[in-house]
Amino acid sequence: MSRSVCIEVDNQYLHFSAAHFTIFTATERERLHGHNFTVSAKAQSELQADGLTFNYQVLKQCLRDICDSLDEYTLIAGHSPHLHITEEGEYYAVTFNDQKMLLLQSDSLLLPLHNITLEELGYYVIQRLIEDGLFEKLVISSLAIAVASGPGQRIISVYQP
């Protein structure tokens, strides 16, 4: 008999505040604005003979570290085909549709994403967990990461190692 368990991690401290803009087309984007994003996870694993699945404190700490690394920054889609990004002194010069925005480098993060959307942020969190070696440390058969930008607006990205 399978003894599969789903562990949900949805703690208050799994959040970050960040500014961003979503790009819709080569000529249309949102205005720069911010959200209080939340992150949660559901991990599927098998119950072991000792009554444990895995040490989910490790998962919680990894998620907390990712949230902390994004907190209070302007997030910039570093791989967007619609942005031209250069460095001008202490600023990133971000050009979109012939409009140039100067953003302090110390207040901004260039992320390896095509757009700053909930979908891309979900993928980013999973990529960071993979890079941090989470799946080598823990026996997880599938992981669902939810990222929300407010009540009622959430995506769920699923990864199966």
Side-chain angles (χ1 to χ4, degrees):
M1 165 169 75
S2 172
R3 294 175 42 149
S4 185
V5 175
C6 183
I7 294 176
E8 186 169 359
V9 175
D10 189 11
N11 295 76
Q12 269 188 327
Y13 58 78
L14 295 178
H15 67 89
F16 60 96
S17 298
H20 81 112
F21 57 89
T22 298
I23 301 166
F24 299 112
T25 67
T27 60
E28 184 183 2
R29 70 168 176 86
E30 292 179 317
R31 292 172 55 107
L32 184 64
H33 65 285
H35 293 283
N36 292 313
F37 294 94
T38 59
V39 175
S40 61
K42 289 184 182 180
Q44 189 95 18
S45 185
E46 292 295 317
L47 186 62
Q48 306 300 310
D50 62 1
L52 298 171
T53 51
F54 59 83
N55 181 354
Y56 57 91
Q57 297 298 328
V58 174
L59 174 59
K60 288 166 44 175
Q61 188 60 53
C62 286
L63 292 172
R64 185 176 204 159
D65 291 345
I66 293 167
C67 288
D68 289 348
S69 74
L70 298 170
D71 196 32
E72 296 185 357
Y73 284 100
T74 298
L75 307 179
I76 304 167
H79 291 170
S80 172
H82 304 299
L83 296 179
H84 179 70
I85 304 166
T86 59
E87 293 183 16
E88 292 185 11
E90 61 186 322
Y91 296 93
Y92 287 121
V94 180
T95 304
F96 173 82
N97 193 29
D98 294 327
Q99 294 177 322
K100 184 176 178 178
M101 295 175 273
L102 294 177
L103 302 168
L104 277 171
Q105 289 183 36
S106 60
D107 290 344
S108 304
L109 288 178
L110 285 178
L111 297 181
L113 305 175
H114 292 91
N115 210 340
I116 303 299
T117 61
L118 292 177
E119 297 90 336
E120 285 273 79
L121 289 171
Y123 170 75
Y124 177 76
V125 170
I126 289 172
Q127 280 303 119
R128 287 279 309 271
L129 292 172
I130 292 168
E131 291 166 9
D132 291 347
L134 179 78
F135 298 99
E136 285 79 34
K137 297 174 191 170
L138 306 178
V139 181
I140 296 174
S141 57
S142 71
L143 180 69
I145 295 292
V147 179
S149 60
Q153 189 161 322
R154 167 185 313 260
I155 63 91
I156 300 172
S157 300
V158 178
Y159 175 70
Q160 295 179 320

